[in-house]
Every structure is written in C-alpha cells, then in structure tokens.
Short mmCIF file of all heavy atoms in Angstrom, two decimals:
data_model
loop_
_atom_site.label_atom_id
_atom_site.label_comp_id
_atom_site.label_asym_id
_atom_site.label_seq_id
_atom_site.Cartn_x
_atom_site.Cartn_y
_atom_site.Cartn_z
N TYR A 16 9.23 2.34 13.86
CA TYR A 16 8.75 3.60 13.28
C TYR A 16 9.48 3.85 11.97
O TYR A 16 10.63 3.45 11.79
CB TYR A 16 9.01 4.78 14.23
CG TYR A 16 8.19 4.72 15.50
CD1 TYR A 16 8.67 4.05 16.63
CD2 TYR A 16 6.94 5.33 15.58
CE1 TYR A 16 7.92 3.98 17.79
CE2 TYR A 16 6.18 5.27 16.74
CZ TYR A 16 6.67 4.60 17.83
OH TYR A 16 5.92 4.53 18.98
N VAL A 17 8.82 4.54 11.05
CA VAL A 17 9.44 4.92 9.79
C VAL A 17 8.98 6.32 9.44
O VAL A 17 7.85 6.72 9.76
CB VAL A 17 9.08 3.92 8.66
CG1 VAL A 17 7.60 3.96 8.34
CG2 VAL A 17 9.90 4.18 7.41
N VAL A 18 9.87 7.08 8.79
CA VAL A 18 9.50 8.39 8.27
C VAL A 18 9.45 8.28 6.75
O VAL A 18 10.33 7.69 6.13
CB VAL A 18 10.50 9.48 8.70
CG1 VAL A 18 11.92 9.18 8.24
CG2 VAL A 18 10.06 10.85 8.19
N MET A 19 8.38 8.81 6.17
CA MET A 19 8.25 8.75 4.72
C MET A 19 7.37 9.88 4.22
O MET A 19 6.67 10.53 5.00
CB MET A 19 7.69 7.40 4.28
CG MET A 19 6.38 6.99 4.93
SD MET A 19 5.97 5.24 4.62
CE MET A 19 5.64 5.26 2.87
N GLU A 20 7.44 10.12 2.92
CA GLU A 20 6.63 11.18 2.33
C GLU A 20 5.15 10.80 2.38
O GLU A 20 4.77 9.66 2.09
CB GLU A 20 7.04 11.42 0.88
CG GLU A 20 8.39 12.07 0.71
CD GLU A 20 8.69 12.31 -0.76
OE1 GLU A 20 8.26 13.36 -1.26
OE2 GLU A 20 9.32 11.46 -1.39
N ALA A 21 4.33 11.76 2.73
CA ALA A 21 2.89 11.50 2.87
C ALA A 21 2.29 11.00 1.57
O ALA A 21 1.37 10.17 1.58
CB ALA A 21 2.19 12.78 3.32
N ARG A 22 2.80 11.46 0.43
CA ARG A 22 2.22 11.08 -0.85
C ARG A 22 2.38 9.59 -1.15
O ARG A 22 1.71 9.06 -2.04
CB ARG A 22 2.84 11.90 -1.98
CG ARG A 22 4.32 11.64 -2.21
CD ARG A 22 4.92 12.62 -3.21
NE ARG A 22 6.35 12.39 -3.41
CZ ARG A 22 6.85 11.62 -4.37
NH1 ARG A 22 6.04 11.02 -5.21
NH2 ARG A 22 8.15 11.48 -4.49
N ASN A 23 3.27 8.91 -0.42
CA ASN A 23 3.49 7.49 -0.65
C ASN A 23 2.58 6.61 0.20
O ASN A 23 2.74 5.38 0.20
CB ASN A 23 4.95 7.14 -0.36
CG ASN A 23 5.90 7.71 -1.39
OD1 ASN A 23 5.51 7.96 -2.54
ND2 ASN A 23 7.14 7.94 -1.01
N LEU A 24 1.65 7.22 0.92
CA LEU A 24 0.75 6.49 1.79
C LEU A 24 -0.70 6.67 1.35
O LEU A 24 -1.07 7.71 0.81
CB LEU A 24 0.90 6.97 3.23
CG LEU A 24 2.21 6.63 3.92
CD1 LEU A 24 2.40 7.51 5.15
CD2 LEU A 24 2.25 5.15 4.31
N ALA A 25 -1.50 5.65 1.62
CA ALA A 25 -2.94 5.71 1.36
C ALA A 25 -3.68 5.29 2.62
O ALA A 25 -3.14 4.54 3.44
CB ALA A 25 -3.31 4.78 0.20
N PRO A 26 -4.90 5.76 2.82
CA PRO A 26 -5.69 5.34 3.98
C PRO A 26 -5.94 3.83 3.95
O PRO A 26 -6.24 3.27 2.89
CB PRO A 26 -6.99 6.12 3.83
CG PRO A 26 -6.66 7.28 2.95
CD PRO A 26 -5.61 6.79 2.01
N LEU A 27 -5.80 3.19 5.09
CA LEU A 27 -6.11 1.77 5.23
C LEU A 27 -7.45 1.64 5.94
O LEU A 27 -7.57 2.01 7.11
CB LEU A 27 -5.02 1.04 6.03
CG LEU A 27 -5.23 -0.46 6.21
CD1 LEU A 27 -5.09 -1.19 4.87
CD2 LEU A 27 -4.24 -1.03 7.23
N PRO A 28 -8.47 1.14 5.26
CA PRO A 28 -9.79 1.03 5.89
C PRO A 28 -9.74 0.20 7.18
O PRO A 28 -8.93 -0.73 7.31
CB PRO A 28 -10.63 0.33 4.81
CG PRO A 28 -9.93 0.66 3.52
CD PRO A 28 -8.47 0.69 3.85
N GLY A 29 -10.61 0.53 8.10
CA GLY A 29 -10.61 -0.12 9.39
C GLY A 29 -10.93 -1.60 9.35
O GLY A 29 -10.61 -2.34 10.29
N ASP A 30 -11.57 -2.07 8.27
CA ASP A 30 -11.91 -3.49 8.18
C ASP A 30 -10.86 -4.32 7.44
O ASP A 30 -11.09 -5.49 7.14
CB ASP A 30 -13.29 -3.67 7.52
CG ASP A 30 -13.38 -3.03 6.14
OD1 ASP A 30 -12.40 -2.38 5.71
OD2 ASP A 30 -14.44 -3.16 5.49
N VAL A 31 -9.71 -3.72 7.16
CA VAL A 31 -8.60 -4.45 6.54
C VAL A 31 -7.49 -4.60 7.58
O VAL A 31 -6.99 -3.61 8.10
CB VAL A 31 -8.06 -3.74 5.28
CG1 VAL A 31 -6.88 -4.49 4.70
CG2 VAL A 31 -9.17 -3.60 4.24
N ASP A 32 -7.10 -5.83 7.84
CA ASP A 32 -6.08 -6.11 8.85
C ASP A 32 -4.73 -5.51 8.45
O ASP A 32 -4.40 -5.44 7.27
CB ASP A 32 -5.95 -7.62 9.03
CG ASP A 32 -4.99 -8.00 10.13
OD1 ASP A 32 -5.36 -7.93 11.31
OD2 ASP A 32 -3.82 -8.34 9.80
N PHE A 33 -3.96 -5.09 9.45
CA PHE A 33 -2.64 -4.52 9.17
C PHE A 33 -1.75 -5.51 8.41
O PHE A 33 -0.97 -5.10 7.54
CB PHE A 33 -1.95 -4.10 10.47
CG PHE A 33 -2.50 -2.83 11.07
CD1 PHE A 33 -3.16 -2.86 12.29
CD2 PHE A 33 -2.35 -1.62 10.43
CE1 PHE A 33 -3.65 -1.69 12.86
CE2 PHE A 33 -2.84 -0.43 10.98
CZ PHE A 33 -3.50 -0.48 12.20
N THR A 34 -1.83 -6.79 8.73
CA THR A 34 -1.01 -7.78 8.04
C THR A 34 -1.35 -7.82 6.55
O THR A 34 -0.46 -7.87 5.70
CB THR A 34 -1.22 -9.17 8.67
OG1 THR A 34 -0.88 -9.12 10.05
CG2 THR A 34 -0.36 -10.22 7.99
N VAL A 35 -2.63 -7.79 6.24
CA VAL A 35 -3.06 -7.77 4.84
C VAL A 35 -2.60 -6.47 4.17
O VAL A 35 -2.08 -6.49 3.05
CB VAL A 35 -4.59 -7.92 4.75
CG1 VAL A 35 -5.08 -7.69 3.32
CG2 VAL A 35 -5.01 -9.29 5.24
N GLY A 36 -2.75 -5.35 4.86
CA GLY A 36 -2.35 -4.07 4.30
C GLY A 36 -0.88 -4.03 3.91
O GLY A 36 -0.51 -3.50 2.86
N ALA A 37 -0.03 -4.62 4.74
CA ALA A 37 1.41 -4.60 4.46
C ALA A 37 1.80 -5.51 3.30
O ALA A 37 2.87 -5.36 2.72
CB ALA A 37 2.19 -5.00 5.71
N SER A 38 0.92 -6.44 2.95
CA SER A 38 1.24 -7.37 1.86
C SER A 38 0.86 -6.82 0.48
O SER A 38 1.19 -7.43 -0.54
CB SER A 38 0.50 -8.70 2.09
OG SER A 38 -0.88 -8.56 1.82
N LEU A 39 0.19 -5.69 0.44
CA LEU A 39 -0.40 -5.21 -0.81
C LEU A 39 0.48 -4.28 -1.66
O LEU A 39 0.40 -4.33 -2.90
CB LEU A 39 -1.72 -4.49 -0.53
CG LEU A 39 -2.86 -5.36 -0.01
CD1 LEU A 39 -4.05 -4.47 0.37
CD2 LEU A 39 -3.28 -6.39 -1.04
N PRO A 40 1.29 -3.38 -1.07
CA PRO A 40 1.87 -2.33 -1.92
C PRO A 40 2.72 -2.82 -3.08
O PRO A 40 2.45 -2.43 -4.23
CB PRO A 40 2.69 -1.51 -0.91
CG PRO A 40 1.94 -1.67 0.37
CD PRO A 40 1.48 -3.09 0.36
N ILE A 41 3.75 -3.63 -2.86
CA ILE A 41 4.61 -4.01 -3.97
C ILE A 41 3.89 -4.98 -4.90
O ILE A 41 3.86 -4.79 -6.13
CB ILE A 41 5.94 -4.61 -3.47
CG1 ILE A 41 6.83 -3.49 -2.92
CG2 ILE A 41 6.66 -5.35 -4.60
CD1 ILE A 41 8.19 -3.95 -2.41
N SER A 42 3.28 -6.02 -4.35
CA SER A 42 2.60 -7.00 -5.20
C SER A 42 1.44 -6.36 -5.96
O SER A 42 1.29 -6.56 -7.18
CB SER A 42 2.07 -8.16 -4.34
OG SER A 42 3.13 -8.83 -3.70
N GLY A 43 0.62 -5.59 -5.26
CA GLY A 43 -0.55 -4.99 -5.88
C GLY A 43 -0.20 -3.95 -6.92
O GLY A 43 -0.74 -3.95 -8.04
N LEU A 44 0.69 -3.02 -6.55
CA LEU A 44 1.05 -1.96 -7.48
C LEU A 44 1.82 -2.50 -8.69
O LEU A 44 1.65 -2.03 -9.82
CB LEU A 44 1.88 -0.89 -6.77
CG LEU A 44 1.13 -0.02 -5.76
CD1 LEU A 44 2.09 0.87 -5.00
CD2 LEU A 44 0.06 0.84 -6.45
N THR A 45 2.70 -3.48 -8.47
CA THR A 45 3.43 -4.08 -9.59
C THR A 45 2.45 -4.71 -10.58
O THR A 45 2.56 -4.52 -11.80
CB THR A 45 4.41 -5.14 -9.09
OG1 THR A 45 5.38 -4.53 -8.23
CG2 THR A 45 5.15 -5.80 -10.24
N ALA A 46 1.50 -5.47 -10.05
CA ALA A 46 0.51 -6.11 -10.92
C ALA A 46 -0.33 -5.07 -11.66
O ALA A 46 -0.55 -5.17 -12.87
CB ALA A 46 -0.37 -7.04 -10.09
N TRP A 47 -0.81 -4.08 -10.93
CA TRP A 47 -1.68 -3.06 -11.53
C TRP A 47 -0.95 -2.29 -12.63
O TRP A 47 -1.47 -2.12 -13.74
CB TRP A 47 -2.15 -2.10 -10.43
CG TRP A 47 -3.20 -1.13 -10.88
CD1 TRP A 47 -3.01 0.01 -11.61
CD2 TRP A 47 -4.61 -1.24 -10.65
NE1 TRP A 47 -4.20 0.63 -11.85
CE2 TRP A 47 -5.21 -0.11 -11.27
CE3 TRP A 47 -5.42 -2.15 -9.99
CZ2 TRP A 47 -6.58 0.11 -11.23
CZ3 TRP A 47 -6.79 -1.93 -9.95
CH2 TRP A 47 -7.35 -0.81 -10.56
N GLN A 48 0.25 -1.81 -12.32
CA GLN A 48 0.99 -1.00 -13.29
C GLN A 48 1.44 -1.82 -14.49
O GLN A 48 1.40 -1.35 -15.63
CB GLN A 48 2.17 -0.32 -12.59
CG GLN A 48 1.72 0.73 -11.59
CD GLN A 48 2.80 1.21 -10.64
OE1 GLN A 48 3.99 1.01 -10.89
NE2 GLN A 48 2.40 1.85 -9.55
N GLY A 49 1.86 -3.06 -14.24
CA GLY A 49 2.29 -3.91 -15.35
C GLY A 49 1.16 -4.27 -16.30
O GLY A 49 1.33 -4.26 -17.52
N LEU A 50 -0.01 -4.56 -15.73
CA LEU A 50 -1.15 -4.94 -16.57
C LEU A 50 -1.78 -3.76 -17.29
O LEU A 50 -2.03 -3.82 -18.50
CB LEU A 50 -2.21 -5.62 -15.70
CG LEU A 50 -1.92 -7.03 -15.19
CD1 LEU A 50 -2.98 -7.46 -14.19
CD2 LEU A 50 -1.83 -8.03 -16.35
N PHE A 51 -2.04 -2.70 -16.54
CA PHE A 51 -2.90 -1.64 -17.07
C PHE A 51 -2.15 -0.42 -17.61
O PHE A 51 -2.56 0.16 -18.61
CB PHE A 51 -3.91 -1.21 -16.00
CG PHE A 51 -4.70 -2.37 -15.46
CD1 PHE A 51 -4.74 -2.64 -14.11
CD2 PHE A 51 -5.39 -3.21 -16.32
CE1 PHE A 51 -5.47 -3.71 -13.61
CE2 PHE A 51 -6.12 -4.30 -15.85
CZ PHE A 51 -6.16 -4.55 -14.48
#
C-alpha cells in the first residue's frame, strides 16, 4: 500500500494491464515533458 496526493494519480483504463500502467509514469512523462 502507498499513500500519495490524489493529484499525482490518473485513472487507469480497464483495458490496460497493471504491469503496463506501472511502467509508464517516469518514462512516459520524462519523454513527453522533455520533447514538448
């Protein structure tokens, strides 16, 4: 279990596996923010 601020979370669609979801935040956000 983890406690965190709600604003740091986004809904995970039901058709996306939890393993995939956990792999996205740092890699995805780093790429998005660095590029755009």
Side-chain angles (χ1 to χ4, degrees):
Y16 293 89
V17 65
V18 59
M19 54 192 292
E20 290 182 86
R22 65 188 179 93
N23 291 334
L24 291 163
L27 181 68
D30 57 356
V31 178
D32 184 79
F33 285 114
T34 301
V35 172
S38 74
L39 293 174
I41 287 181
S42 298
L44 289 172
T45 298
W47 189 282
Q48 292 167 17
L50 288 171
F51 305 125

